[in-house]
């Protein structure tokens, strides 16, 4: 387990608490150090770091691996929570918090990570691992943003089915999105480019999108 925290007092306390609970834990004080580390099971991530904003660290960790990320921060505003969760955090805990609650949240994310089978979806050359959020085409990793992944998840979970623009927007953004769905096109264009085969996602004009037969 990795603690990313620039306050040495909090870092030491967290590492000790985790070790007492039976986990192996280390701490780093810089976002850059966290990104250089090999992936581990769980990262506890402070957002206010001296070098890189924790949100950027969160995004990059999520793109690189299926590590569970629990944001541990003094920033308690709803907008901050939404941003962190959108950028791939699995959970969000506002300081100050009790160690017992932190340990319960760690157990919960680890449990979620252990769901067996059924989460690796294949479609032709494309594989999508819903648990680790890893996407490959012809065995090569494709790094997607959380939005791109959410769009792909909508399409790949029922390949061949026509999914309406509104449905994708509702599932990938949030259920109360009433704005224009134009923003979807931007993410969709990036997704198609990254998947390398623009014909993989078919546009059915006036209706929506579906994955083309492999
Ligand atoms: Ca801090």
């Amino acid at each position: 387990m990795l603690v990313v925290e620039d306050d040495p007092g909090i870092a030491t306390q967290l590492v000790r608490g985790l070790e007492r609970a039976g986990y192996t834990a280390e701490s780093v004080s810089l976002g850059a150090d966290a990104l250089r580390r090999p992936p581990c099971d769980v990262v506890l991530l402070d957002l206010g770091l001296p070098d890189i904003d924790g949100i950027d660290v969160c995004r990059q960790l999520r793109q690189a691996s299926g590590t569970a990320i629990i944001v541990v921060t003094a920033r308690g505003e709803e907008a901050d929570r939404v941003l962190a969760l959108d950028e791939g955090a699995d959970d969000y805990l506002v300081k100050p918090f009790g160690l017992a609650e932190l340990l319960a949240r760690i157990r919960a994310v680890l449990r979620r990570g252990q769901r067996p089978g059924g989460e690796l979806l294949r479609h032709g050359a494309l594989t999508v691992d819903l648990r680790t959020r890893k996407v490959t085409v012809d065995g090569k990793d494709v790094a997607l943003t959380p939005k791109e992944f959410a769009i792909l998840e909508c399409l790949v979970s029922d390949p061949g089915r026509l999914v309406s623009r509104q449905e994708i927007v509702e599932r990938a953004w949030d259920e109360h999105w009433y704005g224009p769905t134009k923003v979807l096109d931007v993410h969709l264009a990036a997704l198609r480019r990254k998947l390398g085969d623009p014909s993989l996602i078919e546009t059915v004009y006036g209706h929506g999108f579906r994955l083309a037969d492999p």
Side-chain angles (χ1 to χ4, degrees):
M1 229 161 265
L2 182 65
V3 175
V4 187
E5 170 62 69
D6 61 314
D7 180 321
I10 297 176
T12 307
Q13 230 184 337
L14 282 175
V15 169
R16 281 202 194 127
L18 292 169
E19 284 175 343
R20 269 201 305 271
Y23 298 108
T24 311
E26 287 180 282
S27 73
V28 294
S29 57
L30 296 177
D33 290 336
L35 295 171
R36 266 197 293 272
R37 290 295 181 107
C40 60
D41 289 350
V42 179
V43 173
L44 303 181
L45 178 63
D46 178 29
L47 293 184
L49 296 170
D51 59 337
I52 311 173
D53 189 77
I55 291 290
D56 292 322
V57 176
C58 181
R59 181 185 310 124
Q60 290 183 49
L61 283 174
R62 174 52 65 241
Q63 282 173 9
S65 78
T67 296
I69 303 169
I70 302 178
V71 167
V72 173
T73 178
R75 297 184 200 164
E77 298 296 319
E78 187 188 15
D80 294 317
R81 293 171 191 253
V82 168
L83 186 59
L85 294 169
D86 268 351
E87 293 299 348
D90 295 279
D91 204 350
Y92 195 103
L93 201 53
V94 179
K95 294 171 182 168
F97 54 86
L99 186 64
E101 181 175 9
L102 175 66
L103 293 173
R105 304 242 188 165
I106 289 171
R107 287 193 297 273
V109 296
L110 289 174
R111 261 198 314 273
R112 265 182 260 156
Q114 281 164 355
R115 286 176 307 199
E119 279 152 338
L120 189 66
L121 304 175
R122 290 174 202 278
H123 186 79
L126 173 72
T127 67
V128 179
D129 188 323
L130 297 183
R131 183 175 71 79
T132 61
R133 305 173 74 84
K134 217 171 114 129
V135 175
T136 65
V137 174
D138 285 325
K140 286 194 204 79
D141 287 351
V142 180
L144 299 182
T145 65
K147 284 285 180 274
E148 290 158 7
F149 185 88
I151 294 167
L152 182 61
E153 190 179 358
C154 289
L155 296 169
V156 80
S157 53
D158 194 356
R161 183 170 81 87
L162 182 64
V163 187
S164 72
R165 301 176 67 86
Q166 193 59 36
E167 183 180 343
I168 296 175
V169 168
E170 283 172 6
R171 283 174 60 182
W173 272 259
D174 79 69
E175 52 192 311
H176 303 300
W177 176 277
Y178 296 115
T181 61
K182 269 257 172 296
V183 64
L184 173 61
D185 296 306
V186 176
H187 292 278
L188 205 64
L191 175 60
R192 280 181 162 136
R193 199 168 54 239
K194 288 183 180 177
L195 294 177
D197 176 7
S199 66
L200 183 66
I201 299 173
E202 274 179 17
T203 304
V204 181
Y205 285 98
H207 295 282
F209 306 92
R210 70 175 155 225
L211 281 194
D213 288 336

